[in-house]
Amino acid sequence: VRYGAALVPGDETTTLYAVGPSGAGYSADGGATWGVIDHEHWNTVGFTPGGPGWVLGPDGRVGRWTRIE
């Protein structure tokens, strides 16, 4: 189950990041295959243009991500 997904705005890559209660993952091929980032419960994800990403989890938990290349 995934609650949220995001691309990095303005980025030439099409890496998709997705989060949910079973963890976070990424896909560099349009969702055909997925890699695991972690197994933490996250509710939403978003990125600043060309910059870091932010993930929010239960109980006010906040995480900062850099892009996976």
Side-chain angles (χ1 to χ4, degrees):
V1 173
R2 295 293 182 222
Y3 288 174
L7 295 169
V8 179
D11 196 348
E12 293 181 15
T13 68
T14 57
T15 302
L16 178 65
Y17 299 85
V19 298
S22 62
Y26 68 96
S27 175
D29 58 11
T33 61
W34 288 87
V36 174
I37 296 173
D38 65 30
H39 296 284
E40 298 291 326
H41 180 157
W42 298 109
N43 296 324
T44 190
V45 58
F47 285 87
T48 60
W54 299 95
V55 288
L56 305 175
D59 302 318
R61 189 163 41 96
V62 177
R64 182 179 185 271
W65 286 355
T66 55
R67 296 182 305 142
I68 295 176
E69 311 236 8

